[in-house]
């Protein structure tokens, strides 16, 4: 998949036609599910495709303020426990969002508020916990260049999109040198540069309430992802955010340069970065360029 262009093209949709995805689209999606990207292939994680009865079935279990998004189709990723199960579900879920975007389907991540209740209502096995939940289908009239701008959970409105980074983090504000706060000035690179494209893709990633509570350090050939303290985002949503942004970065980077290791979780050994209080290293990525 062309991750860079798909990452730029994708935006959340909350208004869907009743018509479900076509048989061809659903077959292509089902064929892709077993080979979708994973952060940890060894984690047992199942993907279930659900239909239009889902909002009634899961009423109150999911969505901002418990408000479900009405769509003809949904994806649920349920996983066995693992220290990085949620990040892996975010990575897989966003890879499937990229596939949906390629199939010309629109989508929206939905917050899981009560995973236990959701597992019961979906009759998932005891050893699986639902971690990622995504609505998809065909959008009703799409405002051509608009997206949700969320100031807080009670102050959400549509804002005109002036460029692909707005209202997203701009790359020059998101990527620092190894010195916290010092811009790596990535935008001085040519636009076809793989590192520039991978950071643009990461900055276009969806996040809980669009808060994007993370930044990146570019230390030589190493990219370090740092999560900022953020009271609005619950820990599972922080971890989904991480997996999602990691997928955008890795997918785009690996369209140019295959990587043996991909993202490695946690801080790199033997290095100390001067981070703000409460900030934590989610993982790092060694760019494989000669
Ligand atoms: C973990 C996660 C949970 C989300 N939950 C919801 C939700 O419950 N309802 C909703 O309307 N959007 C939800 N979203 C979508 C975000 O609000 C959306 O990605 C963000 O506003 C950025 O807009 P964009 O996706 O158009 O770039 C969620 C996104 C993420 C990553």
């Amino acid at each position: 998949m062309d991750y860079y262009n798909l990452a730029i093209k994708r935006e959340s949709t909350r208004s869907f036609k009743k018509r479900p995805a076509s048989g061809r689209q659903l077959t292509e999606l089902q064929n892709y599910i077993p080979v979708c990207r994973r952060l940890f292939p060894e984690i047992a994680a199942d993907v279930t495709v659900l239909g239009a009865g889902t909002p009634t079935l899961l009423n109150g279990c999911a969505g901002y303020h418990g408000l479900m998004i009405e769509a003809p189709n949904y994806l649920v990723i349920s996983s066995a426990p693992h220290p990085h199960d949620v990040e892996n579900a975010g990575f897989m879920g966003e890879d499937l969002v990229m596939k949906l975007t390629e199939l010309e389907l629109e989508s929206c991540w939905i917050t899981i508020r009560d995973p236990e209740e959701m597992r019961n209502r979906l009759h998932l096995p005891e050893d699986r916990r639902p971690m990622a939940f995504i609505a998809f289908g065909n959008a009703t009239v799409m405002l051509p260049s608009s997206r949700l701008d969320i100031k807080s959970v009670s102050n959400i409105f549509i804002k005109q999109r002036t460029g692909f980074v707005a209202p997203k983090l701009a790359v020059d504000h998101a990527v620092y040198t190894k010195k916290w706060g010092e811009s790596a000035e990535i935008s001085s690179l040519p636009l076809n540069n793989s590192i520039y494209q991978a950071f643009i893709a990461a900055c276009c990633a969806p996040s809980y309430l669009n808060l994007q509570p993370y930044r990146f350090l570019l230390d030589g050939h190493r990219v370090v992802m740092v999560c900022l303290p953020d009271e609005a985002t619950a820990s599972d949503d922080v971890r989904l955010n991480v997996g999602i942004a990691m997928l955008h970065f890795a997918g785009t980077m690996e369209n140019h340069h295959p990587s043996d290791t991909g993202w490695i979780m946690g801080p790199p050994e033997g290095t100390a970065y001067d981070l703000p209080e409460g900030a934590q290293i989610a993982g790092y990525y060694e760019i494989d360029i000669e």
Side-chain angles (χ1 to χ4, degrees), residues 82 105 181 195 243 264:
H82 180 280
L105 289 165
I195 299 176
I264 299 167

Side-chain angles (χ1 to χ4, degrees), residues 16-166:
F16 293 92
K17 292 182 182 158
K18 289 212 178 329
R19 176 167 54 89
S22 72
R24 180 194 62 82
Q25 287 167 319
L26 286 175
T27 305
E28 284 198 38
L29 177 66
Q30 290 285 9
N31 290 342
Y32 187 70
I33 286 172
V35 294
C36 79
R37 281 174 180 252
R38 292 159 189 257
L39 266 180
F40 292 89
E42 68 273 25
I43 298 181
D46 306 323
V47 181
T48 316
V49 179
L50 301 172
T54 308
T56 314
L57 184 65
L58 297 182
N59 187 23
C61 293
Y64 292 154
H65 301 297
L67 289 176
M68 268 288 284
I69 293 172
E70 302 265 341
N73 294 105
Y74 299 83
L75 283 172
V76 178
I77 302 178
S78 48
S79 169
H82 180 280
H84 295 297
D85 47 10
V86 183
E87 292 87 344
N88 184 57
F91 198 84
M92 287 175 71
E94 189 61 10
D95 197 45
L96 295 172
V97 164
M98 295 286 99
K99 188 68 191 174
L100 292 168
T101 309
E102 190 184 58
L103 291 170
E104 305 280 339
L105 289 165
E106 278 80 31
S107 58
C108 190
W109 279 84
I110 306 177
T111 310
I112 299 178
R113 292 160 57 93
D114 189 342
E116 289 298 306
E117 183 60 24
M118 190 163 162
R119 186 185 59 204
N120 291 339
R121 293 202 206 166
L122 291 174
H123 303 293
L124 297 173
E126 275 296 308
D127 61 344
R128 294 285 188 276
R129 192 164 75 90
M131 293 179 187
F133 186 34
I134 296 160
F136 72 94
N138 296 288
T140 53
V141 193
M142 284 275 277
L143 299 170
S145 238
S146 62
R147 61 170 51 196
L148 265 196
D149 185 27
I150 301 172
K151 304 287 181 218
S152 72
V153 81
S154 55
N155 185 5
I156 301 176
F157 57 95
I158 300 274
K159 174 172 173 177
Q160 284 302 334
R161 214 174 162 193
T162 49
F164 52 73
V165 289

Side-chain angles (χ1 to χ4, degrees), residues 188-199:
S188 61
L189 294 169
L191 193 50
N192 62 1
N193 178 281
S194 54
I195 299 176
Y196 190 9
Q197 291 195 350
F199 279 124

Side-chain angles (χ1 to χ4, degrees), residues 10 12 14 63-64 69 109 111 147 168 206-208 210 244:
R10 180 219 60 86
S12 293
R14 294 170 179 82
Y64 292 154
I69 293 172
W109 279 84
T111 310
R147 61 170 51 196
K168 296 289 185 185
S207 60
Y208 180 80
N210 201 28
I244 291 169

